[in-house]
Amino acid sequence: MKTAPLPALIAVSALFIGRSLSIILTDPSQLQTTTYDYVIVGAGTSGLTLAARLSQDTTLNILVLEAGVSDENVESVMAPFLAPSVTPKTKYDWNYTVVPQAGMNHRIYDYPRGRLLGGTSSANYMVHQYGSNDNWDRMAKVTGDAGWAWNNMRRYVSQHETFVEPPHDKHNTTDEFTPDLHSYRGDVKISLYVHRQNIDSRVIETTKQLKEFPYNKDVSGIATDLLGVGYAQSTMTEGARVSSSTTYSRIVNTRPNLTVLINAMVTKLINTGISDGLMGFQRVEFTDGLTKTYMVEATKEVILSAGSIGTVQILQLSGIGDPADLDPLGIPVIVRSPKVGKNLQDHPLLPNVFSVTDGGSMDHILRSESEMTDAINEWRTKRTGFISNNIVNNLAFARVKPGFLEGQIDPAAGKLSPHYELIFVNYWLDPVHERPATGSYFTILTALLTPTSRGTVKIQSTNPFDAPLIDPNMLTTKWDLKVLRESVKAAKRFASAPAWNGYITGTMGKLSSETDEGLDDHARQNASTIFHPTSTASMSSYSSPDGVVNPDLTVKGTYGLRIVDLSVLPYIPSCHPQGPAYLIAERAADLLYTVHANDPDDLNPQYVLHY
Ligand SMILES: Cc1cc2nc3c(=O)[nH]c(=O)nc-3n(C[C@H](O)[C@H](O)[C@H](O)COP(=O)(O)OP(=O)(O)OC[C@H]3O[C@@H](n4cnc5c(N)ncnc54)[C@H](O)[C@@H]3O)c2cc1C
Ligand SMILES: *[C@@H]1O[C@H](CO)[C@@H](O)[C@H](O)[C@H]1NC(C)=O
Ligand SMILES: *[C@@H]1O[C@H](CO)[C@@H](O)[C@H](O)[C@H]1NC(C)=O
Ligand SMILES: *[C@@H]1O[C@H](CO)[C@@H](O)[C@H](O)[C@H]1NC(C)=O
Ligand SMILES: CC(=O)N[C@H]1CO[C@H](CO)[C@@H](O)[C@@H]1O
């Protein structure tokens, strides 16, 4: 049942071109010292960004420990269209699987997380957004820290992104994004599509035919309004993926006081003292994955950037967590923190597949070894063709109709936040069910963006190599099922626009159902994840025990320990979350930081913490 959405041919295309590695270290014996100012755990989306910012202060000595391997010259990572072959169940994946899902017919499914330089930014599908301002403003409100509000966070966009214009294919992008909103002087390159798909014109035509689906020129969220149908903005440039690694690894070479060590899996943090009732955790134990255990120390802070799963695992292994989770494993509770691993949120994803006129989609190309080989060869030599592009060009964001919310508190952060998303794909894309051997398809994946279900992550043994139990607990509330059902109805309305006449020929599976029960069956049978776990080490106000970190990202009950990744979000944002992961790291750097070489004017002294 479980297969990658692309042919096996691509899964083996992770060829190394064979340039030698940068000075990123691969073996602990290469470390010059065991004492650093900061030790960052995880060279992922947030971790590498934070390392790059902090190391602008050359008086600081910084070590980043990454469990995974190098991303360098891995074709499946570099070629945008091959993203679905980077994971699951590869050497670049943590290979997680969820526990049987009560709300989904007790099915299990893969739960990929990048295990390589760049973390999940090296494995994801590259769609880039910041979310609506409501998402950030709600975070400011529940944490009591105005620094998380969008009017403060927005300025980080200028140092974070460089919008690549024109894109690699040099097409005319008029009306495909709003130039004034974007930055052209930041680090991470972002671009519009570089290869047209034959469904694009029908998608845009639909926005003219159905009032329900207005065109939105810019769905980044920078201007706060991301409702409607627009062109995806993706972390890619010159026909290749952009990640925190492609962006920041290079600077490691130029910063003698920044060290990145790969193949180094952190197994726990060691309690190094007690001060004012707070526990210190400034020693980090890690392993080369073979036999040896190593120890390094941070004189200032240890920063966990191991992601929504990895960060929880390390906290729990270190005795920071819910006694109910730790006691049965015989782990002494050093910091009682009942919310560690609780509050897991994710966006359920449901493929709604339509059959289309024979040969009208990309399915026949994806099934053809020779056509794929030709396309990959074109990409290798010229970085052009569909392999140079993301798998998706258009997205839609929508809210349920007002009546829908009667008698119900709106789980969205505000009126600018969508409840669900539609993703338009020019072939059969179902992460759970393999593409049929014949036929041509159009997939509208729908995602529930405001889930009220809450799940858990917890370790199942004291062995750091045992995967934690991951329970996203999806579709276990009435709201979640109802909104996902509504998203399916919206997908069917979308597909009923005249623009699709002569193209769509039918529906697959229970998508055809006219009853709510039938559509719910469809959801329970076919939904899985869009891979956006957040909130497992949630932020709350300084006085609130109902969280794991404080608004400055310090771990409650500790000193010398912070968390900087998506686990700190109290609520999952209504968007693709890599943009928020980058921006959290930008603000974390400000919270820690004394020098801000790029943008001295942008620095708000209110948020600078001097050591
Ligand atoms: C298949 C897939 C597609 C996605 N598509 C999109 C998309 O199109 N757009 C979008 O916005 N988001 C997408 N996402 C989600 C997004 O990429 C992630 O939410 C985001 O990158 C997470 O950032 P992070 O910094 O929290 O964690 P990560 O980037 O996952 O970083 C964590 C790092 O810590 C390392 N680590 C973990 N444990 C340890 C340990 N014990 N010791 C040492 N190192 C450790 C990991 O190997 C990793 O490098 C996708 C995710 C997946 C899996
Ligand atoms: C994940 O599975 C792949 C394929 O079986 C394997 O090569 C890789 O080592 C596994 N990764 C981990 C972290 O176990
Ligand atoms: C791009 O398209 C717009 C609108 O159609 C047009 O006004 C503009 O001149 C075009 N730009 C170029 C460089 O061709
Ligand atoms: C949904 O699930 C059913 C039952 O397992 C399956 O027949 C169908 O192919 C699945 N996928 C889609 C896109 O309907
Ligand atoms: C704090 C620290 O280790 N600083 C070092 C940074 O790198 C320069 C150049 O190698 C060293 O001279 C400093 O000692």
Side-chain angles (χ1 to χ4, degrees):
M1 295 284 281
K2 280 181 278 128
T3 49
L6 294 173
L9 152 77
I10 299 174
V12 296
S13 75
L15 304 175
F16 291 84
I17 297 164
R19 189 148 48 83
S20 76
L21 210 68
S22 60
I23 60 159
I24 287 168
L25 304 183
T26 55
D27 190 296
S29 66
Q30 298 163 319
L31 292 178
Q32 305 278 324
T33 168
T34 55
T35 306
Y36 297 83
D37 292 299
Y38 292 101
V39 175
I40 298 174
V41 179
T45 318
S46 306
L48 267 187
T49 306
L50 178 64
R53 290 282 174 254
L54 286 181
S55 61
Q56 286 172 226
D57 181 342
T58 54
T59 67
L60 295 173
N61 215 358
I62 299 162
L63 175 66
V64 186
L65 295 171
E66 167 57 46
V69 296
S70 172
D71 63 323
E72 203 169 8
N73 296 328
V74 181
E75 281 197 341
S76 61
V77 171
M78 292 161 72
F81 194 84
L82 303 188
S85 68
V86 180
T87 62
K89 303 276 152 76
T90 65
K91 63 189 275 208
Y92 310 110
D93 186 13
W94 284 85
N95 298 342
Y96 297 135
T97 301
V98 300
V99 303
Q101 292 296 288
M104 302 163 115
N105 299 342
H106 302 280
R107 284 184 297 118
I108 61 167
Y109 47 81
D110 294 321
Y111 214 61
R113 301 277 86 204
R115 193 176 194 271
L116 69 170
L117 267 183
T120 308
S121 73
S122 295
N124 69 17
Y125 297 175
M126 295 162 285
V127 172
H128 189 275
Q129 297 182 290
Y130 303 102
S132 68
N133 66 348
D134 292 336
N135 286 124
W136 297 97
D137 293 351
R138 172 166 64 180
M139 182 145 99
K141 200 170 155 205
V142 302
T143 63
D145 179 350
W148 292 111
W150 184 241
N151 68 6
N152 183 55
M153 294 304 292
R154 182 181 168 149
R155 69 205 165 89
Y156 295 115
V157 171
S158 66
Q159 70 205 37
H160 163 64
E161 73 165 32
T162 280
F163 206 93
V164 179
E165 174 56 24
H168 190 52
D169 66 346
K170 307 275 190 291
H171 78 267
N172 187 337
T173 58
T174 303
D175 289 334
E176 291 181 349
F177 78 115
T178 307
D180 290 351
L181 294 178
H182 288 273
S183 167
Y184 304 87
R185 63 189 181 110
D187 294 336
V188 175
K189 296 205 166 105
I190 292 160
S191 140
L192 289 163
Y193 68 90
V194 296
H195 184 87
R196 256 181 217 289
Q197 300 188 6
N198 68 349
I199 56 169
D200 298 357
S201 57
R202 294 184 198 269
V203 170
I204 301 305
E205 196 55 26
T206 305
T207 67
K208 295 172 189 153
Q209 295 171 342
L210 301 182
K211 244 189 10 265
E212 181 187 351
F213 302 102
Y215 182 68
N216 185 337
K217 195 170 154 185
D218 197 301
V219 289
S220 63
I222 298 178
T224 75
D225 178 12
L226 49 66
L227 297 170
V229 182
Y231 281 94
Q233 302 172 9
S234 300
T235 39
M236 57 186 190
T237 189
E238 293 172 29
R241 172 193 294 272
V242 168
S243 65
S244 67
S245 176
T246 65
T247 305
Y248 295 114
S249 283
R250 216 163 299 146
I251 71 154
V252 178
N253 290 315
T254 65
R255 305 242 169 108
N257 301 324
L258 170 60
T259 304
V260 176
L261 176 65
I262 59 174
N263 311 317
M265 180 169 147
V266 170
T267 46
K268 65 167 144 177
L269 311 179
I270 312 290
N271 179 205
T272 44
I274 178 165
S275 170
D276 292 335
L278 301 177
M279 293 295 179
F281 286 90
Q282 288 171 296
R283 197 169 299 145
V284 180
E285 182 192 275
F286 68 96
T287 168
D288 55 10
L290 303 167
T291 46
K292 284 213 185 124
T293 300
Y294 301 82
M295 210 77 91
V296 286
E297 232 164 79
T299 53
K300 288 186 169 38
E301 291 193 13
V302 170
I303 292 157
L304 294 179
S305 296
S308 296
I309 311 299
T311 286
V312 170
Q313 189 183 21
I314 294 166
L315 289 172
Q316 292 175 336
L317 287 168
S318 311
I320 305 170
D322 184 352
D325 294 337
L326 305 186
D327 289 345
L329 303 176
I331 298 175
V333 178
I334 299 172
V335 176
R336 190 181 168 281
S337 188
K339 296 296 174 182
V340 169
K342 312 294 160 60
N343 202 33
L344 170 61
Q345 296 168 50
D346 195 358
H347 296 145
L349 180 75
L350 179 59
N352 305 288
V353 184
F354 301 84
S355 54
V356 302
T357 51
D358 220 21
S361 69
M362 290 183 73
D363 291 283
H364 63 283
I365 299 170
L366 301 177
R367 287 189 197 104
S368 158
E369 204 160 314
S370 64
E371 293 203 49
M372 286 304 292
T373 303
D374 288 351
I376 290 172
N377 282 336
E378 177 187 338
W379 176 80
R380 280 182 184 145
T381 51
K382 297 192 289 194
R383 291 284 188 269
T384 57
F386 71 87
I387 300 289
S388 68
N389 193 38
N390 204 343
I391 59 170
V392 51
N393 285 350
N394 290 109
L395 309 168
F397 298 88
R399 286 177 60 78
V400 297
K401 295 179 177 126
F404 199 93
L405 287 164
E406 257 164 47
Q408 158 90 41
I409 294 168
D410 185 356
K415 294 216 164 15
L416 297 168
S417 293
H419 292 113
Y420 60 86
E421 177 180 3
L422 279 59
I423 303 169
F424 307 104
V425 178
N426 193 16
Y427 55 87
W428 174 286
L429 182 60
D430 178 343
V432 177
H433 296 89
E434 202 177 343
R435 163 183 304 105
T438 58
S440 299
Y441 305 97
F442 167 49
T443 308
I444 304 181
L445 293 143
T446 59
L448 164 60
L449 300 180
T450 56
T452 57
S453 299
R454 297 290 181 263
T456 55
V457 176
K458 74 177 178 191
I459 52 172
Q460 50 182 327
S461 85
T462 55
N463 180 353
F465 290 96
D466 281 350
L469 297 171
I470 302 172
D471 183 6
N473 198 29
M474 278 181 181
L475 303 186
T476 53
T477 65
K478 270 197 188 133
W479 166 266
D480 288 8
L481 202 57
K482 204 171 135 192
V483 177
L484 197 57
R485 186 200 303 146
E486 181 55 26
S487 76
V488 176
K489 292 179 181 173
K492 288 165 84 168
R493 291 192 294 269
F494 194 93
S496 72
W500 301 93
N501 286 351
Y503 187 61
I504 292 178
T505 55
T507 51
M508 301 306 292
K510 290 210 165 141
L511 177 58
S512 60
S513 179
E514 302 289 334
T515 65
D516 285 356
E517 293 69 29
L519 294 180
D520 290 352
D521 281 349
H522 164 55
R524 293 191 199 280
Q525 278 178 356
N526 293 291
S528 59
T529 173
I530 191 171
F531 326 109
H532 295 167
T534 68
S535 312
T536 50
S538 296
M539 191 190 307
S540 66
S541 69
Y542 287 100
S543 59
S544 168
D546 192 26
V548 177
V549 299
N550 290 312
D552 64 357
L553 306 177
T554 52
V555 177
K556 290 173 192 280
T558 75
Y559 66 87
L561 180 59
R562 253 177 246 250
I563 299 176
V564 180
D565 59 31
L566 285 184
S567 67
V568 303
L569 292 176
Y571 294 93
I572 190 169
S574 293
C575 69
H576 296 256
Q578 69 164 337
Y582 280 111
L583 292 197
I584 287 168
E586 294 287 358
R587 178 157 192 247
D590 253 8
L591 289 167
L592 284 165
Y593 198 31
T594 52
V595 179
H596 204 277
N598 259 4
D599 288 296
D601 293 338
D602 277 358
L603 193 58
N604 182 342
Q606 191 189 338
Y607 301 110
V608 180
L609 203 141
H610 291 270
Y611 280 95

